[in-house]
Amino acid sequence: MKVEIVPSILSADVGRLTEQVEEAEAAGADRIQVDVMDGHFVPNPTFGPLVVQAVRKATSLPIEAHLMVERPELFLEAFAKAGATLIEVQVEATTSLYRTVQTIKDLGVKAGVAINPATSIEDLREILPYIDLVNVMTVEPGFGGQNFIPHSPEKIRRLRAISADIEIEVDGGIDARTAPLVVAAGASVLVAGNSVYGYKGGVAAGIRAIREALG
Ligand code: DX5
């Protein structure tokens, strides 16, 4: 199973965003994630479509727009037009998840669903056949550099038992210590913010540390 590393720009130096994205691509990142937050669904406003547009200009890598926002259905076209390859919505944030997923796909963009640590994977059972990716949040979303929630690998295993082929992404507290735990449980797409953009040896060393930990 190919494991993909997806630096998220939440911990990047936004004043040097183009350079930081280029560094990640040069270091072998597989995708870039833009952590979109509205300050309501999570207590921290961050980026909008303009930042996805800027990242789109900086790299040819796939871009994931992770919408940690209430009523994400209001913003899907804006992020698709900005250049997102995949749009992730939080299962807790929309009352019409089936329609939201269909709208994303009608825009020609891949559809992902993210679930928070206290949300059951049973809430995904009906939507699984229609989506490209599940993001199992391994922290409570809102901030970079948080601690990995220890029960996450068991939750990933339960999701993998429900679906043998869904792409499982993890997001939050992923580093050289936790990456092997989540990959062994069935995850193959690793979002990494602080362990890449906050790594003392720099972006390339941060990505290398995770890859080496995976062997
Ligand atoms: C939600 C954000 C973060 C970020 C990764 O809080 O989406 O999870 O992507 O953060 P790190 O890798 O710094 O824990």
Side-chain angles (χ1 to χ4, degrees):
M1 174 177 66
K2 178 177 176 349
V3 177
E4 299 200 22
I5 294 179
V6 184
S8 75
I9 64 168
L10 190 62
S11 295
D13 177 350
V14 183
R16 296 189 301 120
L17 184 57
T18 295
E19 190 182 326
Q20 293 261 268
V21 170
E22 290 170 345
E23 274 184 270
E25 180 169 7
D30 296 288
R31 315 178 191 183
I32 298 291
Q33 185 176 102
V34 178
D35 320 80
V36 179
M37 302 180 189
D38 62 359
H40 296 282
F41 183 75
V42 294
N44 180 21
T46 58
F47 313 122
L50 287 177
V51 171
V52 171
Q53 217 170 309
V55 173
R56 183 71 286 157
K57 280 166 54 180
T59 181
S60 58
L61 290 176
I63 298 171
E64 298 183 339
H66 179 185
L67 305 190
M68 289 163 274
V69 305
E70 290 174 359
R71 300 189 66 199
E73 59 273 14
L74 300 178
F75 312 108
L76 301 176
E77 189 171 357
F79 283 98
K81 283 183 176 169
T85 313
L86 180 145
I87 295 176
E88 299 180 23
V89 300
Q90 297 278 157
V91 64
E92 306 87 353
T94 176
T95 55
S96 51
L97 184 57
Y98 177 84
R99 181 183 301 124
T100 298
V101 165
Q102 293 307 318
T103 304
I104 293 171
K105 296 169 77 169
D106 290 347
L107 288 163
V109 175
K110 288 186 176 182
V113 174
I115 57 169
N116 281 344
T119 302
S120 166
I121 55 169
E122 286 306 315
D123 290 5
L124 296 173
R125 194 177 278 276
E126 304 306 326
I127 201 67
L128 278 174
Y130 301 98
I131 59 178
D132 301 290
L133 171 144
V134 170
N135 183 354
V136 178
M137 293 303 295
T138 42
V139 296
E140 193 77 72
F143 303 92
Q146 299 181 88
N147 294 329
F148 177 82
I149 294 174
H151 88 257
S152 301
E154 188 271 330
K155 183 173 183 179
I156 295 162
R157 283 192 186 87
R158 280 189 278 115
L159 174 56
R160 181 53 76 215
I162 291 179
S163 172
D165 55 9
I166 190 70
E167 192 169 65
I168 300 179
E169 179 173 74
V170 288
D171 184 347
I174 301 302
D175 58 20
R177 178 184 72 83
T178 58
L181 304 177
V182 294
V183 169
S188 64
V189 185
L190 313 183
V191 175
N194 196 50
S195 60
V196 171
Y197 286 115
Y199 195 77
K200 58 190 176 308
V203 170
I207 292 174
R208 190 166 51 248
I210 296 171
R211 291 229 193 267
E212 286 171 356
L214 295 170

